Each structure stands twice: as C-alpha cells, then as structure tokens.
Amino acid sequence: MNHGPLIFLGILFTLALSWCGLVFAPQIQFGRQEVVNAKGQLYPPNRPGLAQQGGEVYRANGCQYCHSQQVQPKGLGADLERGWGKRYSVAQDYLRDVPVMWGNLRIGPDLTNVGLRRPDDETHTNRVWHFQHLYRPQITSPGSIMPPYPFLFEKRQVRRGQPASPDALPLIGQYKTELSYEIVPTSAARALVAYLFSLQSDTPLFEAPIPSEFTSGVDTNAPGAMSTNAVSPALTNAVAPASTSPPKQ
Amino acid sequence: MSSKPIDPNAEMSEEREPIAGFATVPIWLIVLLGVLGYWGQLHLDKFGGEFDPRVYGPFASLKEVQKANPDVGVDMVAKGREIYSTSCAPCHQFSGQGLPGQFPPLSGSEWVVGDHPGRIIRIVLDGLQGPIEVKGQQFNNVMVPWRPRPPDVPGLKDDEIAAVLTFVRQEWGNKAPPVKPEDVKAIREKTKERTQQWTANELLKENE
Amino acid sequence: MGGADSLLPQIEASCRIPVLVFFTCGVAWLLFSLAFGLVASLKLHFPDFLAQCPWLTYGRVRPAFLNMFLYGFASQVALGVAIWLTCRLGRAPLISPVAVTCAGLFWNVGVKLGVYGILRGDSTGFSWLEMPRYAFPILFCSYALIGVLTLITFHERRERQLYVSLWYVVAALFWFPWIYSAGNLMLVFWPVRGVVQVVVNTWFTSSLKELWFGSIGVAAIFYFLPKLLERPLYSRYLALYSFWLVALFGSWGGIFIGAPLPKWIPAVSTMASVLMVVPVIAVAMNCYFTLGGEFKRLSQNSVLRFIVFGLAAYVFAGLLGALNVLAPVSAILRFTYFQDGLVILNLFGFFAMVMFGAIYYIVPRLTEQEWPSASLAKLHFWASASGILLCVVSLIAGGVQQGFALNESAVPFLDVLKITLPYLTGCTLGLILLALASAGFLCNLLWALARYACATCPCSERFASNAKPAITGVTR
C-alpha cells in the first residue's frame, strides 16, 4: 500500500498543529506585550547598561542551571513562604529579557527577587556579600556547592604606601590573600552584581495582585510596598456627618 | 555460532525483513484515549483560565482576577478618562481644576476623595444645585443630571458612571478607591424617585 | 526472492562508509560528552574542581555535555540508523554516499564549533539549543544534505510496501529540520518577545525528544525486535495508532502548572503529557506480544537485550512523564533532580541503549566481520545498564527528597542541599560506569573498523596468515 502522500500530509499536519497551538497561538496572544504603566512606573523597568551586561555574564556562565528565576503561586511550592517573592511571576516580568532564563533546577535558591532580599544601599554590605559569594561561596554560605568564580576577580599587588582599592574584597581566615595583595572584582563581576541587584519583581500587576497577607491589611498597589503600612491619606478622610461644610483635607 | 565472517547472501533469514501482523487494536486502548481526552477536556475547563492571557495560576477566570484587584486596573481608568473628556471636561476642565467661581475643582476635592462615594454618585446621577463649599471656596451653580431616562435621555450607564468616578478618584494626585458599577446601581435604584437636583446639605446627610 | 536480494551487498556497500562514519564519530562524541558530564557531576561534590578556568566552570560544562550528547552522538547515530533502515527496508542503495559522508563530517565540524562556543561563553541560554548562532548554518546545511539524499533514496525505493519503521524514519527526517530551524530562528536569530521564548524552547525540547529521538528509537525497536526474534511484529494497527498519537501529542509537553504563563498553556501541555500514556502503552503492548513470552532469547542475544532495555526505559519514561505533570506531583518535583533523572532515562536509558543495540547489529553487516570482542560487548551492556539505572534511581530518589524539603519553608536552603548530596554520589558513580562502558564500546568499534580496514586493505595478504578467527556470539 503506497500511502506515501497521505503519510506525508499527516506528518505535516500533526507538527503544524502543535506549532500553531504551542508556538503561534501564544505568540499571537501575548507575543506583542508592551511595557505597562503600573501605578505610575513603567514595568518592567529598563535595566541600566551595567545590569544588562551582567545578564550576559549570567547567561555565559550558565547560572540558570542551578538557579531558577520564577516564583510559583501559593500551593504549588513554598516560594512565597520562603520569602522568594511577594507574588507569583507572570509573563510581564520577563518582557525585556533575552534570553529568558527561568531555570529548571533549584540547586541554588530562586533569584527572581534577590535584588529585594539583598538590596543595594550606601553601606554596600550586600554588594560586598555578592562579591564574596561569587569569589568563594564558602565564605558566605558554608556547605554550599556553588562553584567559585575566581576568574571574575583579579589579584592585584598593593604597592607599598598606597592604600588598598576601595573595592578590594575583605577576606579573612583561610581565604585571605598574601600580604600586599588584594582581590578586586573585574568589570564582569561588577556587571553581574548590578544584574543581581536589578532582579526585582514585586510590583503588583493586574494579572498578579499581591496577596493580602503581604499588604498589612491595607489594599494598596503602591509599588515596592514591602511590609510598611503605606496608607493613602485620602482613605482616612472622614467627612463629618453633621456639618454644612466638610472639614479641611 | 559461526567463526567465519558473515556472508550476507547465504542466510535466508537475513533477507527476510520483518513484517507487521494484523492484530487489532484492543478496544480498551481506544476507550482509554477517549477517557483521557474527556479528562483533559474537564481539566482544560477547570484549569484553562478560559484561555485568557491575563489569567494565571491561582485564578480560575478573568472575573476572579478582576475581583482580586483592589485597583480595578487600567481598563476602568482608561474608560473613565474617555467619558470625562467628553462629558465632564467642558466644565470641570481637563486639568480637573474647574473654573474659579463657576465650576468646582475635582483635583484634591474632599467630596471626590472622601469616604462616601455615594455622594458623588448621587451628584452624577441627579445633578447638583445651590451653594457648595469645595476646598474652601464657595460655588453656586447647576450641574446637569446624567441618569438615563429612556427613551429620550441616554445619560450614563452604571459602569460608565463607575468608570468616570474611578478615573476622577485616581487622577490629578487623587488617591481614592475605585467606584464599582454595583454601587452605582444600588444608589440608582435607591433614588429612582428623585426628580430634582441634590443640594449640598442633603448630600451631607447621606453616609454611604 | 530474486533480483532485489542480490542487491543486498550493493545496498550494504552504498551505505557502509557514511553509516560507519556516523557511528564512529557519534560514539567518540558520546565518550567526550560523558567525560564532560562526569566533570560536571564531580564539580557538584568538589566545587573547587577545575574552577579556575572559566571555560570549565559548571555552568558551561553542563550544557556542553548535553549538546555534545544530543548533536554529537544522538543525532548522528540516529542519522546513521535512519539511513541504514531506509536502504534496508526500501531495498535501495543510498544515493551519493560520498556527499552524505562529507555532510556528516561537516556536521561534526558544526558540533565542534558549537561546543567551543558554549565553553567560550557564547551559549544562547536556551535548553538543548545552547550552541551559538554560528554553529547553526553548518549543522542545518549538513543535515539538509543528508536528509534530502536519504529521502530521495526513500523515494527511489524498490520495496513499495512501507514497513512500520519507515513511517517513523521518514516522519522524523521531515520533522527534524522544521523543529531545529524553528527553534533556532525564533530563539537565537530573531528572538520572540518575553516568555514566548520559553514556550518555543519547550516546544523544541519536547519535539526533539519525542518526534526526533523518540521516532528513530521506536523505529529501531520496531525493526530489530521482530527481526531478531524472527517473528512478525504483533500489530501494524497498534503501530499506526502509536505513530499518529505520538505525532499529535508529542510536541506539546513540558510546561508545568505554575509556570509564569497564562494558565491555559500549562493546562494544555499537561493534558498532552497525560495523553502520551496511550501511545506508550500501545508500543509496549505491541512489543510485549511480539516477544510472545520468549524472554530466554534475551540472555542469548545481546542486541535484543539492548533493545528491550531501551523499550522498558521508553515505557517508564512515558508513564513517569505523565505522572510528573499532574499538579500535586509537579508541585513537589518541579525544580528537583527528578527532572534530570527523567531526561537521563529518556535519552540514555531509551535512546542511547536502543542505538547501541542497532550499532551492534549493523556494524558487523557493514564490515562483514563479527565484533572483535564479545566480552567487551557484554561488559558494555551490563555497565551501561547498571550505570543508567544507578543514575536514574539516584536522581529520582534524590529529587523526591529534595522536593519535599524545598516545599517545607522551615527547612533552610543549605539543608535541602545536604539532603541531596548522597544521591548525587549515586549519580556520579552511575556516570562513571557509563563512561567506562562507552570507552569499552569505542575500543570495540575502533578495533572492528581496524580489522575491517586491514581486511580490505590491498596489503591484507600479508596479514592473512596472522588473522585470528573472529570471536562471535554477539549478534547471533
């Protein structure tokens, strides 16, 4: 029986079916998503140049093979309970990423909101933490099996009489370098840390409202409202019941 | 177990390529496909989120997502903005500042952001007349009603009133919760006997 | 059975060089990939191992291992088996074997370039597609030549009756370029926006797994099982049923509930993965009844052992895969080693083992010699089988433990890590076994080729008296 042409058509049709259903349909439905205005801010925000380069370092070194970047909704994992985010991740969060690096394995913790768990501030504590963690993960997380990335740092000699670089890693104990040498992060390390600081996605969106237990009782969509009682002043306006003119706002 | 190299022409079994028998597919295997297909359909019904791109994990349908949003989101505000620009801006201005002495401002107005949205719903439905103090200034003018009175007066429907009030309550620095169409409907029903405009004193007695 | 049969030596001769080249290069890549896989696995125990060099950091070694396996070994050997099956079952000599061989050598260049790119840091970041963009044109054009020539051979076949395996082979040859090019074009060259990338990526990996490797593997099973048992395949209708169901449902799987996608996509994907149970059962039934209870033959015939092991792995992988996607199960197992275990069961347990069986059968027929060492072949089977089982069982068990611990928010993350370490040891040991087995296999293969080269070499008369009789017992 030569059913060659029929088989050929069937072969074509079945793959076309899955292509249309799984590739084409999503592309049509949300392949043209744009940045949205979430309470006065553009979401997702544009990554500054250094953070963008950091994303390249993240991709090139395959960080996604151990770290995921997606928060699961409640009931499908303990992500929210572990403080890995205030809300589950949605498509909008990854709009600006190329490639989208969700990760499939959690040998290391989820990094979707690591920029919120360890934010950058004037004290630079978290910045130093990240550099130490990248240089030798055992310093900050004893027992971790994350590989060290010494090639993201360079060993420099501190010349006699010169001060150490402000970026030099504070290393103690067995990790200390020899006298008159210091470990300084390269631009790749800086970029990567900038990228990690940029990983934040707690802005509530239409499709991902923040569950009430994270807004301290007041339903507010103020971005970045972590655990403060950001009460809108208007909500406390009470108009006195029996007066002809309403009180001042 | 021969010990010489294989002679491909010798063995007849080498030439005989396998043939496929004609046993039929057991019925239960086809039924299984049907059963799993049916389960799959139910699964899609329950967990498919109506194939809506805005429905994620914990929500079953778009309605639930809308309900879960304390801020109704861009849709209502956008709709309200449109209605405002055609129906309200001529008097209250695009800036929401109104005209001093003539039309009260909406931006920063305690009437607008106050805890009793029923008052502004009533104003929109049946209009306002007489003296009113807004942000410390006195106004005395007439606002026309927007209650639909079929067949001649189309007015504004419940969701449109809710949209424009939601918009007004979130624009120009105002930060007040949205107004839902259900609230507008409730008040519209409650006041359906009303034929004349409200006055400020009457409104101040309304506490919802 | 007159004219067509006397063509057999001609047919074998036509596909000899290309198929042997594919097999040899493929098995060499297997060894390389397992070496890298071993390095990656060791790094999970000793994070400082080879950590100084950026080219050998874990995040680059791991995708290098996988890509070497997928494109260096698996796809190449799949092509070799596809060509051989087309020629054999169609009773037609391969059109232009020289071109096919050259294309095959180019394929190897492409894989080398791709792996170099990954190690250098140019990885694309997409699963199973990490090779940078400059490798794609080489691989695609090589494949195009091989595929077209094989399909022309199929078109020119003398045996017009299509045996079951040929449906799968022809289908796979058509599907692969579509899958591969769509994946590359939509992800690497002109990336789609946002999470659609991951949807396309998952479509790519599922299609590659079920429609490319799955098809060639099942084609091989459906050919070698009846052939070696000298019984007909139980049912062509069951085979038809399984073929069309795999074609329909195979590409959709892989997206889990809870993924950052509108929930209809995981729901559809889950439904397809569960529906895949039906073709898997159909294949299992077909083969079980073909075997007809003759399990003793397994102990006599080593090719049969490989094929049946592969079949069992295919069935388990299909059933576990369906279980895996159900919401309560995936909530626990989603980000754990369980998924890796399933991939190893599918790629190594099913595909690699079936291909090993096919190679063990085909090479003697092409070289007209038996395998030089039957004991190496036996060792290969037992070491591979135990290595794969050890790997898979360790990863599955470790994954389950890891999953429960991860879902317990009170358990600190580093403790979750500690729980999984003993299971990773099991996996590493399994990989060592696999690597040793593959090394033995490569030796055996090279030895067979060397013997064949000597036998056909013009100066063979010199060595004729020294030639030992071939040790047999491998394929009979």
Side-chain angles (χ1 to χ4, degrees):
Chain A
M1 304 181 280
N2 187 9
H3 288 160
L6 213 62
I7 296 184
F8 175 70
L9 273 173
I11 289 168
L12 210 66
F13 173 73
T14 48
L15 192 62
L17 198 68
S18 75
W19 193 87
C20 285
L22 205 61
V23 172
F24 201 50
Q27 169 66 10
I28 295 205
Q29 227 192 28
F30 52 93
R32 292 262 167 269
Q33 261 182 337
E34 293 290 348
V35 174
V36 287
N37 197 323
K39 301 312 291 164
Q41 285 182 354
L42 285 182
Y43 188 80
N46 214 343
R47 281 212 176 91
L50 198 62
Q52 194 106 350
Q53 288 169 23
E56 301 292 309
V57 177
Y58 188 93
R59 171 194 52 76
N61 286 298
C63 305
Q64 55 167 323
Y65 296 107
C66 294
H67 291 282
S68 61
Q69 270 190 43
Q70 39 174 320
V71 179
Q72 303 294 290
K74 199 178 173 84
L76 284 170
D79 295 32
L80 297 180
E81 288 86 341
R82 279 187 181 271
W84 283 343
K86 292 204 154 320
R87 61 160 177 81
Y88 53 85
S89 302
V90 293
Q92 189 72 20
D93 299 328
Y94 304 95
L95 201 57
R96 293 195 199 257
D97 294 350
V98 180
V100 170
M101 292 180 285
W102 276 6
N104 282 318
L105 192 50
R106 281 179 178 164
I107 308 183
D110 185 270
L111 295 180
T112 321
N113 287 293
V114 71
L116 291 169
R117 290 203 294 280
R118 291 191 186 279
D120 197 14
D121 54 19
E122 311 83 50
T123 63
H124 293 305
T125 345
N126 285 320
R127 185 178 298 226
V128 170
W129 188 94
H130 274 306
F131 283 136
Q132 285 177 326
H133 185 65
L134 285 170
Y135 178 65
R136 279 195 150 278
Q138 302 288 324
I139 299 176
T140 58
S141 326
S144 162
I145 57 172
M146 171 161 154
Y149 292 90
F151 51 86
L152 290 177
F153 298 85
E154 48 182 351
K155 198 167 169 187
R156 271 199 225 147
Q157 191 169 26
V158 185
R159 274 188 289 262
R160 212 183 284 274
Q162 300 272 26
S165 314
D167 289 329
L169 249 57
L171 298 168
I172 53 169
Q174 49 174 306
Y175 307 109
K176 222 172 155 144
T177 49
E178 311 98 69
L179 222 57
S180 84
Y181 279 94
E182 59 181 7
I183 303 288
V184 173
T186 58
S187 58
R190 275 181 240 273
L192 184 56
V193 173
Y195 173 75
L196 293 173
F197 282 139
S198 76
L199 290 175
Q200 311 179 4
S201 68
D202 66 336
T203 307
L205 297 170
F206 175 70
E207 58 268 23
I210 288 187
S212 51
E213 56 257 39
F214 291 105
T215 55
S216 309
V218 174
D219 266 342
T220 166
N221 268 355
M226 297 239 295
S227 53
T228 54
N229 269 338
V231 177
S232 168
L235 290 176
T236 56
N237 244 2
V239 179
S243 67
T244 49
S245 66
K248 299 283 181 288
Q249 187 166 334
Chain B
M1 308 268 187
S2 67
S3 58
K4 42 183 205 307
I6 306 169
D7 179 11
N9 279 329
E11 295 272 344
M12 283 302 273
S13 62
E14 190 63 34
E15 308 302 319
R16 228 178 291 130
E17 298 297 352
I19 53 169
F22 292 90
T24 51
V25 178
I27 276 292
W28 62 264
L29 200 57
I30 304 184
V31 170
L32 180 64
L33 185 68
V35 165
L36 288 177
Y38 182 66
W39 166 86
Q41 220 187 57
L42 295 176
H43 177 84
L44 279 181
D45 231 3
K46 193 157 171 234
F47 298 108
E50 296 164 349
F51 291 86
D52 195 304
R54 288 166 294 176
V55 180
Y56 282 78
F59 300 103
S61 66
L62 189 60
K63 268 208 183 62
E64 284 191 18
V65 183
Q66 285 169 335
K67 241 192 276 183
N69 270 284
D71 255 5
V72 185
V74 190
D75 294 331
M76 277 292 257
V77 172
K79 185 171 164 181
R81 188 191 300 271
E82 258 188 70
I83 299 172
Y84 183 86
S85 62
T86 47
S87 310
C88 321
C91 298
H92 291 288
Q93 308 305 312
F94 284 104
S95 61
Q97 296 295 333
L99 281 178
Q102 286 199 36
F103 308 118
L106 301 176
S107 156
S109 160
E110 62 276 22
W111 291 87
V112 170
V113 301
D115 259 350
H116 305 283
R119 295 178 182 168
I120 45 175
I121 296 176
R122 285 175 171 80
I123 294 179
V124 173
L125 277 172
D126 294 306
L128 186 73
Q129 58 157 343
I132 184 170
E133 182 176 324
V134 182
K135 284 171 81 169
Q137 297 172 352
Q138 290 289 344
F139 294 88
N140 194 337
N141 213 327
V142 173
M143 171 159 154
V144 297
W146 292 93
R147 183 189 289 266
R149 289 188 194 282
D152 345 297
V153 180
L156 287 174
K157 299 198 280 294
D158 293 342
D159 55 302
E160 290 173 323
I161 295 179
V164 75
L165 288 177
T166 301
F167 163 73
V168 154
R169 287 182 121 205
Q170 302 202 5
E171 192 76 356
W172 315 297
N174 290 346
K175 277 191 177 54
V179 173
K180 300 201 204 60
E182 301 88 74
D183 302 335
V184 177
K185 179 175 180 192
I187 293 185
R188 181 171 54 78
E189 302 276 299
K190 202 162 165 199
T191 57
K192 62 177 182 239
E193 306 303 320
R194 186 99 192 166
T195 48
Q196 51 170 195
Q197 285 113 335
W198 293 90
T199 62
N201 286 345
E202 284 176 323
L203 284 174
L204 287 172
K205 293 197 187 78
E206 303 291 343
N207 281 337
E208 22 127 328
Chain C
M1 298 213 273
D5 309 328
S6 60
L7 269 180
L8 200 59
Q10 201 183 334
I11 296 171
E12 301 283 9
S14 71
C15 50
R16 173 175 299 135
I17 305 285
V19 173
L20 285 176
V21 164
F22 284 139
F23 285 169
T24 318
C25 297
V27 178
W29 276 116
L30 176 69
L31 199 55
F32 276 120
S33 78
L34 283 172
F36 272 77
L38 206 53
V39 166
S41 208
L42 284 171
K43 277 169 174 284
L44 289 176
H45 299 288
F46 311 110
D48 294 336
F49 178 53
L50 293 177
Q52 302 298 324
C53 176
W55 290 58
L56 291 176
T57 184
Y58 178 80
R60 298 189 198 182
V61 167
R62 195 189 137 119
F65 147 61
L66 206 55
N67 277 267
M68 272 195 256
F69 176 84
L70 289 170
Y71 300 102
F73 165 69
S75 294
Q76 247 191 118
V77 172
L79 283 170
V81 170
I83 292 173
W84 189 83
L85 280 177
T86 309
C87 295
R88 256 306 182 107
L89 286 169
R91 298 259 193 253
L94 182 66
I95 310 277
S96 183
V98 175
V100 175
T101 314
C102 290
L105 293 170
F106 259 118
W107 176 274
N108 282 291
V109 170
V111 176
K112 270 194 267 254
L113 193 60
V115 171
Y116 162 79
I118 295 173
L119 292 175
R120 192 169 163 262
D122 292 340
S123 154
T124 61
F126 294 110
S127 286
W128 296 19
L129 209 54
E130 283 93 347
M131 294 208 200
R133 54 168 62 192
Y134 39 81
F136 170 69
I138 303 178
L139 288 171
F140 188 75
C141 294
S142 313
Y143 174 80
L145 193 57
I146 300 170
V148 164
L149 289 171
T150 314
L151 285 170
I152 296 179
T153 310
F154 169 75
H155 184 73
E156 300 290 319
R157 66 192 187 285
R158 290 186 185 80
E159 175 58 65
R160 302 310 290 185
Q161 275 261 41
L162 281 182
Y163 179 63
V164 169
S165 294
L166 271 184
W167 312 331
Y168 279 97
V169 164
V170 171
L173 289 173
F174 272 116
W175 283 329
F176 180 75
W178 185 340
I179 298 167
Y180 189 59
S181 59
N184 267 287
L185 295 176
M186 292 181 80
L187 294 175
V188 178
F189 285 86
W190 297 287
V192 284
R193 197 180 291 188
V195 291
V196 187
Q197 292 171 32
V198 184
V199 178
V200 176
N201 198 176
T202 314
W203 175 83
F204 174 79
T205 52
S206 294
S207 302
L208 208 67
K209 194 164 56 127
E210 300 288 350
L211 264 53
W212 171 237
F213 296 129
S215 291
I216 303 280
V218 172
I221 294 178
F222 279 162
Y223 178 78
F224 290 109
L225 198 63
K227 178 93 188 204
L228 293 166
L229 293 169
E230 287 161 358
R231 296 157 63 99
L233 185 67
Y234 175 66
S235 166
R236 72 180 55 210
Y237 302 114
L238 262 178
L240 199 65
Y241 192 51
S242 58
F243 175 69
W244 288 116
L245 289 181
V246 166
L248 272 175
F249 302 135
S251 311
W252 298 76
I255 301 181
F256 289 92
I257 295 179
L261 286 169
K263 62 193 288 197
W264 69 266
I265 297 177
V268 169
S269 187
T270 312
M271 178 181 165
S273 293
V274 170
L275 280 168
M276 277 296 285
V277 159
V278 181
V280 161
I281 294 180
V283 168
M285 271 189 72
N286 215 346
C287 295
Y288 178 75
F289 287 119
T290 307
L291 259 175
E294 293 201 31
F295 292 103
K296 326 199 247 359
R297 303 283 291 264
L298 284 173
S299 55
Q300 297 161 355
N301 192 322
S302 67
V303 178
L304 203 57
R305 276 200 289 265
F306 277 105
I307 301 290
V308 172
F309 185 93
L311 171 68
Y314 179 71
V315 175
F316 272 113
L319 296 174
L320 277 176
L323 194 64
N324 190 23
V325 295
L326 300 174
V329 178
S330 80
I332 300 169
L333 297 177
R334 175 109 189 263
F335 292 103
T336 63
Y337 291 113
F338 182 90
Q339 309 301 327
D340 279 357
L342 213 53
V343 166
I344 293 198
L345 186 60
N346 212 309
L347 291 179
F348 284 87
F350 157 61
F351 189 71
M353 291 297 263
V354 171
M355 290 297 108
F356 291 154
I359 296 176
Y360 274 114
Y361 185 88
I362 296 174
V363 167
R365 273 137 193 89
L366 292 178
T367 60
E368 292 158 353
Q369 312 256 346
E370 277 292 0
W371 283 91
S373 167
S375 42
L376 255 183
K378 255 205 176 77
L379 182 71
H380 179 211
F381 174 74
W382 290 109
S384 301
S386 43
I388 291 170
L389 276 173
L390 189 57
C391 246
V392 171
V393 170
S394 311
L395 288 176
I396 288 182
V400 171
Q401 295 273 37
Q402 188 189 12
F404 279 117
L406 268 177
N407 278 8
E408 209 44 59
S409 56
V411 177
F413 198 85
L414 282 171
D415 288 353
V416 177
L417 197 67
K418 282 203 194 54
I419 292 174
T420 61
L421 285 176
Y423 299 98
L424 288 179
T425 316
C427 180
T428 310
L429 289 174
L431 277 176
I432 292 178
L433 277 172
L434 253 180
L436 290 174
S438 305
F441 184 39
L442 185 62
C443 286
N444 214 355
L445 185 59
L446 290 173
W447 191 355
L449 290 177
R451 284 245 295 257
Y452 173 66
C454 285
T456 52
C457 177
C459 51
S460 61
E461 305 90 62
R462 253 208 285 155
F463 295 100
S465 53
N466 294 338
K468 295 201 206 41
I471 312 167
T472 61
V474 177
T475 58
R476 287 284 157 212

